[in-house]
Amino acid sequence: MRPVEEQLKLVTDAAVTPEPVRIAIANALGLMCAEEVQANQPLPGFPQAAIDGYAVRAVDVGGERALSTRRAVPSRPAPEGAADDAGDNAAPAPEPVRERSLPVVGEVPAGSRQPLRLQPKHAVRVYTGAPLPTLADAVLPLEWSDRGRKRVTAHRPVRSGDFVRRVGDDIQPGDVAVISGSILGPAQIGLLAAVGRSKVLVYPRPRVTIMSYGRELVDIDREPGLGQIFDINSYALAAAAKEAGADVHRVGIAEGEPRRLREIVETHLSRSEVLVVTGAVGGSGAAVMQEVLRELGEVDTSRVAMHPGSVQGFGLLGEERTPTFLLPSNAVSSLVAFEIFVRPLIRLSLGKRNANRRVVRARALNHLQSRPGRRGYIRARLMRDAETADYLVEGLGGAAGGPAHLLAGLSEANAMVRIPEDVTEVRPGDVVDVLFITQRS
């Protein structure tokens, strides 16, 4: 049998990154950027108020001169939310000073396009994001004033630049907003919008086609007869591929004579970066599909030293040498094989730096068994000790020699215990490697 690492290398060496496409930034979340995006204008593009208050000249409300000889007023806290709204421009609460009163000669809301010039010893009411009047060099927060409408009294001074977002504070023209090869998350999408990019060049999600094969299969909208079962795999694997980040097409059940099967497979090979066929390995019923696939390329059906899911196949088929997986008909074995081999290929095609699941060390809570000479993947429930924060893991279906093929146990799992090939037994208290699959609420 082939070791898991050797099989995984065969698979990952075949990873194909789709050709870049230009798409709307609203659809680019999670994709890898295929271009360097530079800003062609500053952000902000004009001086603006970082907080609600009054646009002033700092010198008119005390400025930065020493004010220790002036009458103090009771200490007041910094404006609520000032640090959040003003960011790095938020000033620490200065010393109280002699109160100064200025006439309020106008109001500038956010989005105003009317230029306004501030006269010395005057104030203008401004709102967060509003363009700052010419000659104004600071914003007096509402909380540091009496909130007057016709005249405003400053209870505290502000320094030049306080609570002001200067031109280019965030981005300067020529700055790289998003680098090529970066994964586009919410912050990167926001930066693209900030520099005025409605579309971006990305590597698209790999197209993954899922189909099931087996004369015993019926779709879930039909009533199975004697000897028939529902097609579980195409639905489960399509969901797994979508969760991995792929653009998924679920064919459902592929059926017909060999020539018809070949037409179906060829059609989807030309439209896919990855093809997954379940039920095409193991048993005499898979022989027809395997023969059809071998007409389209090389298919290796060597057993893999793992449990469950040792019976599987992999090949590069069609003119484009599309990576093609042959997975078992058993739903649990198929999902485990998908997790270990297909998911990493999808993640690599998306440009992810770490294609594998997070692995943690956890203390086993119950007895686990694995087959000699095979790497065991036991579905499990991963937990944290409330007092020590240590990871704890409880084996579910397939533990302690129980049946490994039951789907219900897998649905309760949020992890898989990975047991080395030379270990056949795990006792309570032993520390094991655990693949963290998903967070369950």
Side-chain angles (χ1 to χ4, degrees), residues 11-12 15-18 29-32 183 203-206 208 240-246 274 338-358:
V11 169
T12 55
V16 176
T17 302
L29 183 65
L31 299 180
M32 183 168 64
I183 302 301
Y203 294 102
R205 302 181 190 281
V208 176
K242 187 173 183 179
E243 185 270 340
V274 179
F338 183 99
E339 176 68 31
I340 303 306
F341 298 110
V342 187
R343 188 179 190 278
L345 183 67
I346 293 173
R347 304 296 285 174
L348 287 173
S349 298
L350 281 166
K352 304 296 184 182
R353 293 180 178 85
N354 188 356
N356 298 314
R357 295 282 194 183
R358 177 187 175 196

Side-chain angles (χ1 to χ4, degrees), residues 24-272:
I25 62 172
N27 301 322
L29 183 65
L31 299 180
M32 183 168 64
C33 186
E35 64 174 327
E36 182 178 88
V37 179
Q38 292 185 344
N40 55 18
Q41 57 188 5
L43 180 71
F46 54 90
Q48 58 181 238
I51 193 171
D52 290 354
Y54 299 88
V56 296
R57 297 191 317 157
V59 68
D60 292 337
V61 289
E64 299 181 56
R65 291 185 299 164
L67 304 167
S68 58
T69 60
R70 297 181 179 174
R71 182 173 61 85
V73 297
S75 177
R76 296 174 183 268
E80 182 180 353
D84 292 337
D85 291 338
D88 292 338
N89 294 321
E95 292 297 322
V97 299
R98 179 170 57 85
E99 296 181 347
R100 295 195 173 191
S101 179
L102 302 174
V104 179
V105 296
E107 181 176 278
V108 183
S112 173
R113 302 178 65 181
Q114 297 293 330
L116 191 62
R117 182 181 179 88
L118 180 69
Q119 298 299 322
K121 297 183 179 180
H122 288 72
V124 171
R125 178 75 163 89
V126 290
Y127 297 85
T128 303
L132 215 62
T134 306
L135 297 187
D137 64 352
V139 174
L140 174 70
L142 286 177
E143 288 81 357
W144 292 358
S145 75
D146 65 352
R147 300 175 183 254
R149 294 188 177 184
K150 293 185 178 181
R151 297 190 66 87
V152 59
T153 299
H155 299 316
R156 292 180 177 277
V158 288
R159 297 172 300 182
S160 181
D162 281 355
F163 306 106
V164 173
R165 297 182 182 134
R166 301 176 182 88
V167 174
D169 265 355
D170 198 345
I171 297 175
Q172 292 284 349
D175 285 353
V176 176
V178 179
I179 63 173
S180 178
S182 62
I183 302 301
L184 297 175
Q188 288 76 21
I189 299 296
L191 276 171
L192 289 170
V195 300
R197 289 291 295 270
S198 62
K199 294 187 176 182
V200 63
L201 193 67
V202 298
Y203 294 102
R205 302 181 190 281
R207 297 169 297 176
V208 176
T209 296
I210 310 288
M211 65 176 68
S212 295
Y213 176 73
R215 295 181 178 179
E216 76 280 11
L217 300 177
V218 296
D219 199 21
I220 58 176
D221 59 358
R222 293 177 52 191
E223 187 70 27
L226 182 63
Q228 293 181 318
I229 59 173
F230 287 128
D231 169 28
I232 300 171
N233 287 343
S234 73
Y235 288 95
L237 295 178
K242 187 173 183 179
E243 185 270 340
D247 179 8
V248 182
H249 176 60
R250 189 189 67 84
V251 176
I253 303 168
E255 51 190 354
E257 296 301 315
R259 186 171 66 178
R260 175 57 182 156
L261 289 176
R262 175 167 176 159
E263 290 175 355
I264 294 172
V265 173
E266 280 187 309
T267 297
H268 292 290
L269 281 174
S270 65
R271 301 174 179 173
S272 310

